[in-house]
């Protein structure tokens, strides 16, 4: 996961770092893991009304295998961010998370009513990890990112098979509900129900996020370029992320960032 591979995808980079940091904290402190990573619909939600657990279990993952699978999947979501643009992608992750968590409650409540007690016991324990947002992004990944055919071990397959295989590795009895809720949330967003696609974070939040990104993301090695010139390929890529920005505005952002794409994205976000 090199910085170059995440060029032009600062939100994805921040997401990777946050999942990694929280997972390491949970591994270091079993008490925190027990307090924040456990969720049983009954009694945590139905009796104790600990709604905050729906969000806390999304922060990190419990095992090394799940962590590696999650990080690789999130890394692959950089393609979705480049298509949507950073502002829209960040808004999508937030909206899909809220919608997906709401759908999780609905699905868990329905399962409690419909399933026998011995079967519901497996569903009642909800797996930790950002499953809702990951599977919501996978729905967008399936719909937006074109698939390429590649040869592996003499067999021609789609280049997305690794991503879907890792996602399947995250599935289990306790992961079924959040995964399904995430896919449903991604479909709801794609259908633009209630104008969800139009929502964006307030500018004050965006500016705070830009400052946070500048603190937690490493700067890429700067390449010496002729003064007052910016590569046309990079300008074209940023124009795809910021269609409302003019050619000169993007070129100016790249000059201010000394050719660093991530810093240029931050400058464009701050000025939007």
């Amino acid at each position: 996961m090199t910085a170059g591979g995440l060029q032009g995808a600062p939100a994805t980079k921040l997401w990777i770092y946050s999942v990694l940091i929280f997972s390491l904290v949970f591994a270091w402190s079993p008490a925190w893991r027990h307090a924040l990573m456990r969720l049983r619909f009954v009694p945590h939600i139905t009796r104790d009304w600990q709604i905050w657990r729906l969000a806390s279990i999304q922060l990190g993952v419990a095992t090394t295998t799940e962590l590696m699978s999650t990080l690789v999947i999130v890394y692959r979501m950089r393609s979705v961010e480049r298509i949507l643009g950073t502002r829209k992608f960040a808004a999508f992750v937030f909206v899909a998370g809220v919608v997906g968590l709401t759908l999780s409650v609905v699905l868990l409540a329905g399962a409690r009513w419909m399933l026998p007690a011995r079967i519901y016991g497996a569903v009642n324990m909800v797996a930790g990890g950002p499953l809702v947002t990951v599977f919501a992004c996978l729905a967008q990944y399936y719909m937006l990112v074109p698939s390429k055919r590649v040869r592996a071990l003499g067999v021609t397959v789609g280049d997305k098979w690794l991503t879907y295989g890792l996602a399947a590795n995250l599935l289990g009895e306790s992961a079924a509900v959040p995964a399904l809720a995430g896919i449903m949330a991604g479909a709801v967003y794609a259908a633009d129900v209630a104008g969800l696609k139009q929502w964006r974070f307030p500018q004050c939040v965006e500016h705070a996020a830009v400052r946070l990104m500048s603190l937690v993301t490493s700067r890429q090695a700067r390449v010496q370029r002729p003064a007052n010139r910016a590569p046309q390929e990079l300008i074209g890529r940023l124009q795809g992320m910021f269609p409302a920005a003019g050619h000169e505005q993007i070129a100016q952002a790249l000059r201010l960032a000394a050719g660093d794409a991530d810093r240029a994205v931050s400058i464009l976000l701050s000025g939007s």
Side-chain angles (χ1 to χ4, degrees):
M1 296 182 193
T2 64
L6 287 168
Q7 186 176 21
T12 302
K13 184 185 293 187
L14 183 60
W15 190 5
I16 288 175
Y17 286 161
S18 63
V19 171
L20 178 60
I21 291 171
F22 276 110
S23 299
L24 292 176
V25 169
F26 293 149
W28 171 74
S29 174
W32 281 34
R33 183 171 66 247
H34 180 81
L36 299 177
M37 291 289 290
R38 292 190 62 187
L39 171 60
R40 292 184 182 274
F41 187 69
V42 182
H44 290 150
I45 303 299
T46 57
R47 187 193 68 189
D48 302 334
W49 289 94
Q50 296 177 348
I51 306 297
W52 55 268
R53 287 184 180 273
L54 290 168
S56 70
I57 63 172
Q58 304 289 317
L59 296 176
V61 296
T63 69
T64 303
T65 302
E66 291 175 346
L67 176 61
M68 296 306 299
S69 296
T70 300
L71 291 180
V72 173
I73 293 172
V74 174
Y75 173 74
R76 301 277 288 186
M77 294 306 106
R78 73 196 190 283
S79 301
V80 178
E81 179 177 354
R82 288 168 180 164
I83 292 173
L84 296 180
T86 297
R87 293 183 65 211
K88 188 173 182 178
F89 178 75
F92 158 71
V93 171
F94 178 80
V95 169
V98 173
V99 173
L101 292 176
T102 303
L103 290 172
S104 294
V105 173
V106 173
L107 290 173
L108 288 168
R112 184 189 181 194
W113 177 64
M114 297 175 60
L115 297 178
R118 60 184 180 84
I119 298 178
Y120 180 73
V123 179
N124 184 51
M125 183 69 180
V126 180
L131 292 170
V132 169
T133 47
V134 163
F135 277 85
C137 284
L138 280 172
Q140 292 290 303
Y141 180 75
Y142 173 80
M143 290 182 281
L144 297 178
V145 180
S147 179
K148 299 178 182 178
R149 308 298 292 179
V150 296
R151 290 188 64 82
L153 301 177
V155 180
T156 302
V157 295
D159 63 339
K160 295 181 177 181
W161 68 270
L162 175 61
T163 306
Y164 298 145
L166 290 172
N169 184 57
L170 295 176
L171 293 176
E173 292 179 343
S174 58
V177 169
L180 178 59
I183 293 173
M184 293 172 63
V188 167
Y189 185 88
D192 198 19
V193 176
L196 291 176
K197 286 185 176 181
Q198 311 308 315
W199 187 85
R200 298 290 186 276
F201 283 107
Q203 283 199 354
C204 60
V205 177
E206 291 183 352
H207 293 166
V210 168
R211 296 189 184 95
L212 179 61
M213 288 179 191
S214 66
L215 290 174
V216 301
T217 58
S218 59
R219 294 184 178 182
Q220 298 177 4
R222 297 181 179 180
V223 179
Q224 295 297 327
R225 304 184 186 278
N228 298 323
R229 294 188 62 187
Q232 294 302 314
E233 179 182 355
L234 189 53
I235 291 177
R237 187 186 306 167
L238 291 177
Q239 280 182 321
M241 297 173 62
F242 298 90
H247 182 280
E248 184 56 35
Q249 181 182 357
I250 292 176
Q252 176 67 16
L254 282 168
R255 285 194 291 270
L256 292 173
D260 188 320
D262 284 348
R263 292 180 61 203
V265 168
S266 299
I267 293 170
L268 290 168
L269 283 171
S270 299
S272 61

